[in-house]
Amino acid sequence: DQQVKQNSPSLSVQEGRISILNCDYTNSMFDYFLWYKKYPAEGPTFLISISSIKDKNEDGRFTVFLNKSAKHLSLHIVPSQPGDSAVYFCAASASSSGTYKYIFGTGTRLKVLA
Amino acid sequence: GAGVSQSPRYKVAKRGQDVALRCDPISGHVSLFWYQQALGQGPEFLTYFQNEAQLDKSGLPSDRFFAERPEGSVSTLKIQRTQQEDSAVYLCASSLAHRGTDTQYFGPGTRLTVL
């Protein structure tokens, strides 16, 4: 039972354009969401997070949007840069339940074309 | 400052051997997590420590998997009688406190290959 789903295994975007990565979840207990970026042979690197009390969080070129009614979140990267090419993982947790583990999606490989 | 470190980075084991994977969390971080990442998948939770106490081990796939953090700092994940299905990257993460909104910071992982 995949509680966090990233339905697009890959995405290619031209440099300078917007990258939009999507994530869907099924567990209504999730109240904290994160995006991580992963380069080959490295561990996931934290990018940005959002609590369920918000619907948007912005940090520089990265913005995360949360639509609780649709159980959907997205990561926008604008403008996209070649160095953004990596695998992006969406993660969720039910932080208020005392369970601190993250549930991850399967990842989306982003390729930014110069 | 130093991030999470893991050793060894790569481990090859013959089926049936025991292995031990080490994690050094960020200094002062109370919480420590182990995840397993199979090829083409996202990380999957194995176990969680708050200081030296193992509060959640619901993700450990079998009793061949054992984790400890005896002094509340360094942690070791031990896998006994390794099987081919244990081949994966084992990721360790730490977070500052024990709040659900504390960000987990990951190490580079140990890639285990069981032949």
Side-chain angles (χ1 to χ4, degrees):
Chain A
D1 176 28
Q2 195 83 22
Q3 297 186 67
V4 177
K5 299 178 185 178
Q6 293 178 257
N7 292 318
S8 298
S10 65
L11 175 69
S12 290
V13 170
Q14 207 66 35
E15 181 181 6
R17 307 295 288 265
I18 185 170
S19 295
I20 300 176
L21 296 95
N22 294 301
C23 179
D24 296 294
Y25 61 96
T26 57
N27 190 339
S28 57
M29 294 295 293
F30 290 151
D31 58 4
Y32 189 60
F33 305 88
L34 310 94
W35 285 93
Y36 282 82
K37 177 170 75 172
K38 188 179 183 306
Y39 294 119
E42 294 184 14
T45 302
F46 169 72
L47 267 180
I48 193 168
S49 62
I50 187 167
S51 164
S52 60
I53 62 173
K54 294 185 172 182
D55 54 19
K56 176 183 174 181
N57 189 26
E58 193 172 349
D59 184 2
R61 296 186 299 114
F62 303 92
T63 303
V64 56
F65 295 91
L66 176 63
N67 182 333
K68 288 185 291 295
S69 60
K71 294 191 175 67
H72 177 84
L73 66 155
S74 60
L75 175 69
H76 292 209
I77 306 173
V78 55
S80 301
Q81 299 173 353
D84 296 330
S85 296
V87 178
Y88 289 77
F89 290 97
C90 166
S93 76
S95 66
S96 57
S97 69
T99 300
Y100 304 133
K101 63 185 178 186
Y102 290 171
I103 307 298
F104 284 84
T106 52
T108 296
R109 183 177 301 277
L110 173 66
K111 184 178 288 188
V112 179
L113 307 170
Chain B
V4 178
S5 61
Q6 294 185 244
S7 61
R9 291 293 314 276
Y10 302 90
K11 177 70 179 177
V12 179
K14 291 183 180 177
R15 190 160 54 98
Q17 278 185 333
D18 297 348
V19 298
L21 312 180
R22 177 187 169 108
C23 172
D24 285 81
I26 294 172
S27 178
H29 276 199
V30 166
S31 296
L32 185 145
F33 303 80
W34 284 97
Y35 291 84
Q36 180 191 58
Q37 185 174 18
L39 193 63
Q41 301 298 312
E44 290 195 5
F45 171 79
L46 293 176
T47 187
Y48 158 61
F49 289 87
Q50 186 184 118
N51 295 306
E52 68 279 4
Q54 189 175 20
L55 299 186
D56 186 347
K57 51 183 181 179
S58 62
L60 295 177
S62 77
D63 57 8
R64 296 186 296 104
F65 287 70
F66 172 76
E68 60 184 5
R69 194 186 185 198
E71 297 177 358
S73 177
V74 171
S75 177
T76 304
L77 176 67
K78 297 179 180 177
I79 309 173
Q80 297 176 324
R81 305 181 303 282
T82 53
Q83 305 294 315
Q84 284 190 322
E85 61 263 29
D86 300 335
S87 295
V89 175
Y90 290 86
L91 294 162
C92 175
S94 69
S95 64
L96 181 60
H98 50 86
R99 293 181 298 259
T101 53
D102 287 323
T103 300
Q104 295 177 27
Y105 296 94
F106 283 82
T110 294
R111 179 177 295 278
L112 173 65
T113 303
V114 181
L115 303 177

